[in-house]
Amino acid sequence: PLTIPKMKLPYTALTIPSVKDFSIWEETGLKEFLKTTKPSFDLNVKIQYKKNKDTHSIAVPLGVFCKFISQNVNSLDSYLESISDNALDFLTTSYNKAKIKLDKYKAEKSLNTLPGTFQNPGYIIPVVNIEVSPFSVEMLPLYPVIPKAINTPSFTIPGSDFYVPSYTLVLPSLELPELHIPRKLLKLSLPDFEELSAINNIFIPAMGNITYDFSFKSSVITLNTNAGLYNQSDIVAHFLSSSSLAIDALQYKLEGTSRLTRKRGLKLATALSLSNKFVEGSHDSTISFTKKNVEASATTTAKVHIPVLRMNFKQELTGNPKSKPAVSSSIELKYDFNYPKLFSTAKGAIDHKLSLESLTSYFSIESSTKADIKGVVLSREYSGT
């Protein structure tokens, strides 16, 4: 219980009366709405996916592509072989021409030019008293700066047995060797291309089944929601949601189903329904596609039941171009309004129909509307049609 003493608001002449043993649980109505002062709830969510063993086949003309490669691989092989032969012949011919020109130049130069020799006299290295004998370097007649042979000096230390003899180093001359290319190794061939099996389809796994479950339970309200998408002989989508609680106006049930049939064309059927204490409604629609025809139909109904208004609504729509393109629609509405506090009532109905037909040379439209109303406004009666 809540207790508040009597108090006066500062800077004003207002006085708040005292409150003693005020129970929020009983006075505010929570006692009737809640079963306990410590409510608890239970929440569950579950999502599940189940694989499907079926597969979808997509036509891909890979076999035609493989056949094209197999037929043209031989011509490509011979073309590459001719390119390699021509390139190798060009390389061999250019090399041989360069070698002949170099040999000719060396022969002419050697006849007109004598080989040069660089000589160095012997000497004694001071301090260490090492005697170095004379040495010489013979140059190439074609290239005066490139040595052909080098005679190293000998080293002698007087008064000892240490002696390094002279050596002659002959350097190789610049010559192009003979180029021998075995003709049997010049063949370039592509590997054989063999199609193991015809690949004309790609297989993709089919969609499986997906389910979703949601539940919420407490001492006040219970909510349940289930949804699923199923891929079997037909593709089916289903949805269901409902509530349960102490207040009837908040209880509802919403259910919907959609089915796609793939036999003899495509057919999509959808159904939706809603039920409540004050509102009820349903919707059914069907559309089908075949090679020669398209059909569609839809039906919608609704009911409203509240203290001041009762209303029934119905709509039908059909379309069928089988013999000739035709569309028809009908709407029916009935209502009853009653508000005693304003001394007002209204009751009536509306009926509307529409049809459309079309041919190659003309089309026709027919429409009709019927309505009537009868009621009272501020105790004055009125009516009309």
Side-chain angles (χ1 to χ4, degrees), residues 100-110 142-143:
I100 292 173
K101 289 182 179 180
L102 179 61
D103 293 342
K104 183 178 179 181
Y105 174 77
K106 289 171 61 179
E108 293 176 353
K109 196 73 173 176
S110 62
L142 300 179
Y143 310 101

Side-chain angles (χ1 to χ4, degrees), residues 1-7 17-23:
L2 181 64
T3 300
I4 301 175
K6 181 180 179 181
M7 62 179 64
S18 63
V19 177
K20 186 176 181 181
D21 296 335
F22 179 80
S23 176

Side-chain angles (χ1 to χ4, degrees), residues 3 11 15 73 80 114 120 148 152 158-159 170 180 194 239 252 304 309 317 334 343 348 361:
T3 300
Y11 307 105
T15 302
V73 69
L80 293 177
L114 297 175
N120 189 41
K148 179 180 179 182
T152 61
V170 179
H180 299 283
E194 182 179 359
F239 175 81
Y252 74 93
V304 177
L309 177 64
L317 177 65
K334 296 180 180 180
F343 305 100
S361 58

